[in-house]
Amino acid sequence: MNYKNILVETRDKVGVIQLNRPKAMNALNDQLMDELGDALLKFDADEKIGCIVITGSDKAFAAGADISAMAKYTYMDVYKGEYISRNWEHIRRVRKPVIAAVAGYALGGGCELAMMCDFIIAAETAKFGQPEIKIGTTPGAGGTQRLPRAISKAKAMDLCLTARIMDAAEAERAGLVSRIVPADKLLDEAFSAAAIIASMSLPIAMMVKESINRAYETTLTEGILFERRMFHGTFGTEDQKEGMEAFLEKRPPMFKNS
Ligand code: CO8
């Protein structure tokens, strides 16, 4: 696929996807989402990649779904999946860790896209919100579901009902972002976190991701059982043997992703 709305590069074992529609604040249209899905699934299938970073520009991670593209859609257009909803679930199929590096606006679908990533590193300039109510619609890609889980029902209601925009400091206090850094350090911070993850055993990192995501989908008892079985499963890997032996021999591990 020839990408027109994203830039893709590989930095050692890290796959980087930059949303790139600067004139529209990286508004997420179908073409961009198709390209993003394609790039994500390619990185996921690439044995050399251990972690993926999604980022935007200084001004905007993404200011939401593209309002100019959506304005005329009918219920049938969007319900049948031809437009808008056809390609938003790709990111959930990615099994490798995905970091969102957010500067500027992450609004509506942009905030939802960031929340679909495994964690968010924010620049001090980052701004989060679900302002869809102002344009006569609701969040449609998980905003009403992931926000209450991430930042509490009270704050989710506040943001989604008033369309208030939350700054990076508030987002960190509320638990939406894992760290905040000065804007000019954002990519360095995201790359170094991604490089650390990519230096681990990939299958073990995938198991950690799967286990944490399970916490959102099941009861505590079932989740703990799932985690226990994952933990047991690590003992069937070469990387568990290598990791523990390396610790005992006081040397860095040489993981083989097997
Ligand atoms: N869609 C299309 N164009 C946009 C969008 C957008 N979401 N956001 C900004 N732009 C465009 C503007 O129209 C403008 O274009 P032009 O220069 O041609 O007039 C350009 O980007 C720059 O924007 P502004 O001039 O408005 O810049 P400001 O710095 O004044 O304001 C804001 C920046 C605050 C980000 C402002 O542009 C804004 O409020 N944007 C809209 C935010 C919004 O409402 N987002 C939610 C959209 S709805 C949504 O995301 C639903 C997701 C559902 C997904 C469902 C999947 C199944």
Side-chain angles (χ1 to χ4, degrees), residues 21-28 59-60 62-70 83-89 105 107-112 116 129-135 137-142 165:
R21 293 188 71 209
K23 288 188 185 142
M25 295 259 175
N26 289 336
L28 306 165
K59 285 194 189 137
D66 190 319
I67 300 168
S68 58
M70 281 188 299
Y83 306 100
I84 286 205
S85 46
R86 69 168 186 245
N87 47 23
W88 281 71
E89 293 295 312
Y105 293 106
L107 300 181
C111 185
E112 292 170 313
M116 286 178 206
Q130 298 289 161
E132 287 90 339
I133 196 165
K134 277 210 303 199
I135 55 166
T137 189
T138 67
I165 289 177

Side-chain angles (χ1 to χ4, degrees), residues 96-174:
K96 291 175 183 170
V98 183
I99 301 173
V102 175
Y105 293 106
L107 300 181
C111 185
E112 292 170 313
L113 175 62
M115 288 192 289
M116 286 178 206
C117 297
D118 297 314
F119 64 98
I120 302 173
I121 299 180
E124 285 164 349
T125 57
K127 299 174 194 69
F128 299 88
Q130 298 289 161
E132 287 90 339
I133 196 165
K134 277 210 303 199
I135 55 166
T137 189
T138 67
T144 64
Q145 305 304 301
R146 291 197 177 94
L147 259 189
R149 287 166 164 85
I151 66 171
S152 82
K153 175 186 166 189
K155 270 194 189 287
M157 286 283 189
D158 181 358
L159 293 184
C160 294
L161 290 172
T162 69
R164 178 168 78 78
I165 289 177
M166 176 165 72
D167 66 19
E170 184 182 0
E172 191 194 29
R173 278 200 307 279

Side-chain angles (χ1 to χ4, degrees), residues 149-234:
R149 287 166 164 85
I151 66 171
S152 82
K153 175 186 166 189
K155 270 194 189 287
M157 286 283 189
D158 181 358
L159 293 184
C160 294
L161 290 172
T162 69
R164 178 168 78 78
I165 289 177
M166 176 165 72
D167 66 19
E170 184 182 0
E172 191 194 29
R173 278 200 307 279
L176 182 64
V177 312
S178 69
R179 359 177 160 168
I180 305 181
V181 290
D184 60 350
K185 299 277 182 315
L186 177 66
L187 289 182
D188 288 348
E189 187 80 6
F191 291 144
S192 80
I196 290 171
I197 293 169
S199 74
M200 308 293 177
S201 161
L202 176 59
I204 304 294
M206 288 162 63
M207 289 182 204
V208 170
K209 169 170 173 163
E210 212 177 333
S211 292
I212 292 178
N213 281 336
R214 190 52 71 107
Y216 289 92
E217 307 290 347
T218 192
T219 62
L220 183 60
T221 303
E222 285 301 318
I224 285 182
L225 183 60
F226 182 85
E227 180 197 69
R228 186 77 40 85
R229 290 289 172 262
M230 274 296 179
F231 171 71
H232 293 159
T234 65

